[in-house]
Amino acid sequence: MKVTKAVIPAAGFGTRFLPATKSVPKEMLPIVDKPTIQYIVEEAASAGIKDLLIITSRGKDAIVNHFDKAYELEAVLERDGKDEMLRAVREVSDKTNIHFTRQREQKGLGHAVLCAKSFVGNEPFAVMLGDDVVVSEKPCIGQLTEQYERYGATVLGVQRVGMEHVSKYGIVDCENVEGRMYALKGMVEKPKKEDAPSDIAVLGRYVITPAIFDCLERTPKGAGGEIQLTDALVMLSEYEKIYAYDFVGKRYDIGSKQGFLRATVDFALAREDLKDEFSEYLREIVKTM
Ligand code: G1P
């Protein structure tokens, strides 16, 4: 079965970027000139996702507006012959069908995904977290949907993060099946270094079977007093096989200041219209350091 639906949870407070995120949703912070959530939407669209559900919360209307049509702005750009800008504004919402719902209470990632239950219905679906931006030749979520189509089971996108970082992630215990594919044996949310089964972390990309919703409904509060997607996946693994796929690509943790800064520099250097002047500037800075 083809995976055509994706869920993007975007309901969190974004406390790591306060005060910027007091009135601006963290998903709207730009890397160069595009809001971070747009990179995620573009990744989904280029992997053939037809319907996307963005889970928002109070104070996040800027996300909804971003993916709406902007009649007045488009008319002005058209009048002034600013074709390139007009194209950039229009293509934001043209790539896939975008739906929205609100998570009314912030009860964690697992609870946010549960808000997608009626949107998803009885199909496998992708979950894409906005804090993880992945640059790769083949879209990261497309790599996972491809594996879903081969194995017909839930696939988690993973990479090694180093033992010093395990306490920030869902960490898996797994066994190699073939190539980049692993069978999941266990999983723990944000373990201490000494309790971690490995340094292989789930990095914000999942393809999950709809049986997860029954598990989410039965999942008690876990780490941080929140309903954790990780705990529901562990429950699901008692009934169904789950795989972890070591995806190819460079992943930025843009939920952290360091990751955000790195993404900004790398994305600017990858842009034909910016790279020459910007790299010259960086060279000057390095000389004076
Ligand atoms: C979430 C998940 C965690 C995963 C991480 C990836 O944590 O709960 O399992 O490894 O995203 O970024 P969060 O970063 O929302 O605390």
Side-chain angles (χ1 to χ4, degrees):
M1 190 170 190
K2 281 241 176 263
V3 180
T4 63
K5 290 180 180 173
V7 175
I8 303 179
F13 284 126
T15 44
R16 286 186 286 182
F17 277 88
L18 281 169
T21 48
K22 199 175 154 205
S23 63
V24 177
K26 68 170 174 175
E27 296 78 9
M28 290 303 293
L29 298 180
I31 303 175
V32 186
D33 52 10
K34 249 187 234 178
T36 59
I37 195 165
Q38 197 180 328
Y39 291 96
I40 312 288
V41 168
E42 288 176 1
E43 179 188 327
S46 57
I49 297 291
K50 303 271 178 274
D51 285 285
L52 254 174
L53 177 69
I54 301 180
I55 318 261
T56 67
S57 57
R58 276 183 297 283
K60 298 261 184 163
D61 292 349
I63 300 177
V64 184
N65 294 336
H66 182 69
F67 291 104
D68 198 356
K69 211 164 165 58
Y71 285 106
E72 284 181 345
L73 176 64
E74 288 180 30
V76 171
L77 294 174
E78 201 160 7
R79 183 198 65 199
D80 296 348
K82 296 191 167 151
D83 298 341
E84 190 53 30
M85 283 183 201
L86 185 62
R87 193 187 53 75
V89 166
R90 279 191 176 149
E91 73 178 15
V92 167
S93 36
D94 283 353
K95 299 201 153 142
T96 160
N97 298 316
I98 304 179
H99 313 255
F100 298 92
T101 191
R102 273 194 187 182
Q103 183 187 17
R104 285 182 291 177
E105 291 172 277
Q106 309 238 332
K107 293 187 188 168
L109 177 60
H111 179 257
V113 172
L114 187 52
C115 295
K117 185 178 174 184
S118 58
F119 165 80
V120 168
N122 199 24
E123 292 177 33
F125 65 107
V127 173
M128 306 171 73
L129 304 189
D131 281 348
D132 299 284
V133 168
V134 183
V135 177
S136 52
E137 214 165 289
K138 186 182 269 186
C140 178
I141 200 64
Q143 297 178 41
L144 300 192
T145 55
E146 200 173 284
Q147 295 307 321
Y148 174 84
E149 281 155 26
R150 282 186 63 201
Y151 285 81
T154 294
V155 187
L156 318 176
V158 298
Q159 277 186 347
R160 285 191 184 279
V161 290
M163 287 311 283
E164 66 278 24
H165 295 298
V166 291
S167 64
K168 292 190 280 188
Y169 302 105
I171 299 293
V172 302
D173 181 11
C174 57
E175 209 169 56
N176 190 245
V177 178
E178 54 159 352
R180 296 180 157 269
M181 197 65 156
Y182 294 80
L184 192 84
K185 293 201 295 184
M187 190 176 172
V188 38
E189 181 68 13
K190 302 191 173 76
K192 288 196 200 119
K193 197 171 163 178
E194 52 276 23
D195 301 329
S198 72
D199 70 340
I200 304 176
V202 179
L203 296 178
R205 298 290 183 278
Y206 316 71
V207 173
I208 310 179
T209 64
I212 193 70
F213 293 113
D214 280 347
C215 298
L216 282 167
E217 278 165 351
R218 289 189 283 131
T219 300
K221 286 181 189 164
E226 298 191 329
I227 298 173
Q228 296 290 349
L229 180 59
T230 296
D231 296 340
L233 286 164
V234 170
M235 195 188 286
L236 181 65
S237 72
E238 290 166 23
Y239 309 99
E240 295 182 358
K241 226 172 154 67
I242 296 187
Y243 293 90
Y245 184 74
D246 178 13
F247 63 82
V248 182
K250 179 158 184 185
R251 168 253 174 195
Y252 296 87
D253 172 14
I254 56 157
S256 79
K257 291 183 181 105
Q258 284 296 337
F260 193 86
L261 291 168
R262 286 175 195 192
T264 300
V265 171
D266 286 359
F267 281 47
L269 290 175
R271 283 266 297 255
E272 283 303 324
D273 57 335
L274 301 172
K275 71 175 185 198
D276 291 345
E277 196 177 329
F278 190 52
S279 56
E280 191 50 45
Y281 174 67
L282 292 179
R283 268 188 224 107
E284 273 169 39
I285 294 185
V286 171
K287 266 190 237 155
T288 61
M289 268 163 64

